[in-house]
Amino acid sequence: DTEVTQTPKHLVMGMTNKKSLKCEQHMGHRAMYWYKQKAKKPPELMFVYSYEKLSINESVPSRFSPECPNSSLLNLHLHALQPEDSALYLCASSQDSVPSYEQYFGPGTRLTVT
Amino acid sequence: KQEVTQIPAALSVPEGENLVLNCSFTDSAIYNLQWFRQDPGKGLTSLLLIQSSQREQTSGRLNASLDKSSGRSTLYIAASQPGDSATYLCAAGNNAGNMLTFGGGTRLMVKP
C-alpha cells in the first residue's frame, strides 16, 4: 500500500479562522513533507519532518505551524492566513529523509482563504 | 540553488505517437531524479525514480533516462494514449532532507 491520505479535500476559511490540515500514511515511512502548489505552478517545499522532528523549514511564515504527533501523522495548523495563501497543499512521505528515497504524495487539500 | 526547467511547457499529439519530455537541471550534484504525473486539481503520482548512479528506468510504456554530466533527463512515452493526458513534472532530489526541486511541468494532451 503506497497511499498517503489527506483531509479535508477542500477547505474554505476566513482570515481570522484557525483550521488544520491532516496527513496520514501507514507505510512505515519516517520522513514526511508539506508542499504548497499555486495554480499552474510546481509544488514548493514548506517543511520536512524526519523521525517526527522538524528538520527543514523553508522560511515559511509563522501563520503556518506544522506538527508531527507520531510517525504516521502530520498536521498543518493554519491561523490568520491571507488570500494569497490559497493553494493546493500537498503532503508526501518517504522511507527516510536520506536522499534517494522515493516520495509518495497525497491527493492534496484545496485551500481557499476568503 | 538548483533550478529545474522543463521543455516544452505544453504538448499536443495524436494518439499513438511516441513522445519525449525534457527536463534540465543546473546543479549536477543530484541524488536522484523523479518523474511525476499530475491530473488537474489532483495530487502527484510517482512514475519513475532514477538514482544518481543509474542511467535509466523503465515502467511499462515509460522510459526515463538521466545524464548527470549534462544536467538532463528525458521521459519517453511510447504509443501515447488519451489517458496519458496530464501534466508531467520532473523533480531533482538534492542533499539534505531529500528535498525535491520541481520543474514547471509539461502539460500533455493526447488526442484520440
Side-chain angles (χ1 to χ4, degrees), chain A residues 25 28-34 45-57 66-75 91-99 101 103, chain B residues 95-99:
Chain A
Q25 56 87 15
H29 288 175
R30 302 314 299 265
M32 297 185 77
Y33 312 77
W34 280 116
L45 182 68
M46 299 174 73
F47 303 104
V48 180
Y49 269 83
S50 178
Y51 291 82
E52 300 160 46
K53 291 190 186 331
L54 181 65
S55 60
I56 293 176
N57 176 343
E67 178 197 19
C68 190
N70 59 59
S71 60
S72 300
L73 191 55
L74 184 66
N75 297 320
C91 172
S93 72
S94 63
Q95 188 171 334
D96 201 314
S97 62
V98 171
Y101 284 106
Q103 290 191 27
Chain B
N95 50 36
N98 199 14
M99 294 174 60

Side-chain angles (χ1 to χ4, degrees), chain B residues 51-110:
Chain B
Q51 303 293 356
S52 61
S53 58
Q54 298 174 320
R55 297 282 293 184
E56 64 179 310
Q57 282 284 338
T58 298
S59 176
R61 294 182 293 107
L62 305 180
N63 176 277
S65 66
L66 175 64
D67 184 342
K68 275 185 60 176
S69 60
S70 67
R72 292 180 185 175
S73 177
T74 60
L75 179 67
Y76 175 83
I77 302 177
S80 58
Q81 304 170 356
D84 295 331
S85 298
T87 295
Y88 290 80
L89 294 152
C90 68
N94 290 86
N95 50 36
N98 199 14
M99 294 174 60
L100 290 179
T101 302
F102 284 84
T106 293
R107 194 167 61 255
L108 173 66
M109 172 75 74
V110 180

Side-chain angles (χ1 to χ4, degrees), chain A:
Chain A
D1 181 12
T2 57
E3 188 179 26
V4 176
T5 59
Q6 290 187 244
T7 54
K9 285 188 171 58
H10 301 277
L11 178 63
V12 179
M13 61 185 290
M15 289 189 286
T16 58
N17 292 157
K18 285 186 182 180
K19 296 286 185 184
S20 297
L21 310 185
K22 178 180 172 181
C23 172
E24 203 160 3
Q25 56 87 15
H26 295 287
M27 295 177 277
H29 288 175
R30 302 314 299 265
M32 297 185 77
Y33 312 77
W34 280 116
Y35 289 83
K36 173 182 178 179
Q37 186 177 27
K38 301 282 281 184
K40 299 192 185 301
K41 297 290 187 182
E44 293 180 340
L45 182 68
M46 299 174 73
F47 303 104
V48 180
Y49 269 83
S50 178
Y51 291 82
E52 300 160 46
K53 291 190 186 331
L54 181 65
S55 60
I56 293 176
N57 176 343
E58 287 288 278
S59 302
V60 179
S62 60
R63 58 185 183 270
F64 295 92
S65 176
E67 178 197 19
C68 190
N70 59 59
S71 60
S72 300
L73 191 55
L74 184 66
N75 297 320
L76 185 62
H77 302 298
L78 313 172
H79 173 55
L81 294 193
Q82 304 296 312
E84 59 264 29
D85 296 321
S86 297
L88 182 67
Y89 287 84
L90 294 163
C91 172
S93 72
S94 63
Q95 188 171 334
D96 201 314
S97 62
V98 171
S100 82
Y101 284 106
E102 188 170 5
Q103 290 191 27
Y104 296 90
F105 281 75
T109 293
R110 174 76 58 190
L111 173 67
T112 302
V113 182
T114 60

Side-chain angles (χ1 to χ4, degrees), chain B residues 34-48:
Chain B
Q34 200 166 348
W35 281 92
F36 297 89
R37 168 189 172 137
Q38 186 172 32
D39 293 288
K42 305 291 186 184
L44 278 64
T45 300
S46 179
L47 297 174
L48 289 164

